[in-house]
Amino acid sequence: MKYTVGRDVSNNIQLHSRFVSRHHAVLLRVPGGEPGIYSYRIIDGDLSGKPSVNGLTINSHSKVTSHDLNHGDVISLAPNVQLVYLIDETSDGVASSEADLIGFERN
């Protein structure tokens, strides 16, 4: 499963900032270490390999081309455009395998 992030209306996650590229990033769901457990990887640019103009900054590490996301990661796409990756966890602390574990909070 993939989600696209950017300014264009065709994206799954559309951001309204002139500093965000039309197709700024892609989120890919990747299998975890156990069956039914997944994580997400963010990749700069689109699936054809064209990078975004401003790039990705993850947790203050600039110009990241891809990153396996962890709970609480701060993703900066442009000036004043930040997303926080959050994982919904079940009561036993294991990530739910029944739902897509993607949540963003805009800063």
Side-chain angles (χ1 to χ4, degrees):
M1 180 167 283
K2 70 175 168 81
Y3 297 93
T4 56
V5 180
R7 194 177 71 236
D8 195 84
V9 296
S10 66
N11 287 292
N12 302 104
I13 302 169
Q14 184 183 14
L15 301 172
H16 301 284
S17 170
R18 64 186 178 108
F19 299 109
V20 172
S21 295
R22 284 188 298 255
H23 302 284
H24 202 103
V26 177
L27 290 163
L28 295 177
R29 187 173 82 165
V30 294
E34 299 177 32
I37 302 297
Y38 300 94
S39 62
Y40 282 87
R41 177 176 299 136
I42 190 164
I43 300 169
D44 181 40
D46 61 22
L47 285 176
S48 70
K50 180 181 178 189
S52 65
V53 173
N54 286 319
L56 295 176
T57 300
I58 312 287
N59 302 326
S60 301
H61 300 290
S62 60
K63 298 298 179 180
V64 174
T65 56
S66 72
H67 177 79
D68 291 332
L69 292 168
N70 298 299
H71 180 73
D73 279 347
V74 177
I75 304 151
S76 298
L77 303 173
N80 300 317
V81 181
Q82 288 186 330
L83 306 172
V84 178
Y85 179 74
L86 303 172
I87 297 175
D88 181 22
E89 295 182 345
T90 62
S91 60
D92 61 3
V94 177
S96 170
S97 62
E98 296 299 317
D100 285 336
L101 303 176
I102 183 167
F104 279 111
E105 180 178 284
R106 288 182 66 179
N107 284 343

